[in-house]
Amino acid sequence: MAMANRLSAAVEKLKSNGVRMTPQRHAVLEFLMNSKDHPTADDIYKALENRFPNMSVATVYNNLRLFKEAGLVRELTYGDASSRFDGNTAPHYHVICQKCGRIEDVYRPLLRDIDDEVAKHTGYSVDHHRLEFYGLCPSCRTLN
Ligand code: ZN
Ligand code: MN
């Protein structure tokens, strides 16, 4: 879906959940849906603080939690490191730079059979899987 459509669909979803849209909330949502680099709450705060001097990092966090509850964003957790947020909730894989921390989407077909395979071997009912590729991004490679 095009970004503008995804954004207005997301706004409708929030409204139907009874969430009041404020200019800040809209800006956080829009920023997230426009970004391809999986920002942290702090990244989003820094990008918007000039436009909204009264906004706090806590506001950004609260909005992200709200969006997550509404199924509009995916939170990517990496141990103790800050969570990264993904405005694309469709299942996809990520490639991660171990030097600069950049996270990008990987466009390749999903491994559809692996959930069933793991379920069969473990007796678990498997709901989804997470797959990440680690290495160096093109700019970090040239610096090496
Ligand atoms: Zn890098
Ligand atoms: Mn992603």
Side-chain angles (χ1 to χ4, degrees), residues 41-128:
D42 213 50
D43 294 333
I44 300 171
Y45 169 74
K46 282 178 183 142
L48 298 176
E49 68 176 336
N50 285 339
R51 241 172 97 196
F52 301 103
N54 295 324
M55 188 174 69
S56 66
V57 192
T59 310
V60 175
Y61 268 110
N62 290 338
N63 281 310
L64 290 170
R65 188 156 27 82
L66 212 68
F67 301 158
K68 195 184 154 187
E69 279 164 11
L72 299 171
V73 309
R74 193 144 68 107
E75 182 176 7
L76 308 172
T77 54
Y78 298 96
D80 291 340
S82 301
S83 288
R84 309 278 292 250
F85 291 88
D86 196 337
N88 176 10
T89 54
H92 61 277
Y93 300 133
H94 291 119
V95 62
I96 299 166
C97 178
Q98 287 172 291
K99 198 168 179 195
C100 71
R102 190 197 292 198
I103 301 178
E104 289 188 74
D105 290 346
V106 173
Y107 297 100
R108 80 164 308 286
L110 297 173
L111 300 167
R112 298 262 179 214
D113 302 334
I114 205 165
D115 292 357
D116 287 343
E117 217 174 286
V118 170
K120 206 159 80 189
H121 287 296
T122 62
Y124 279 58
S125 67
V126 175
D127 173 59
H128 67 281

Side-chain angles (χ1 to χ4, degrees), residues 3-4 6-7 27-37 87:
M3 206 288 298
R6 282 204 302 132
L7 181 60
V28 173
L29 188 62
E30 185 175 30
F31 181 85
L32 205 53
M33 296 213 152
N34 268 322
S35 82
K36 296 234 173 291
D37 55 359

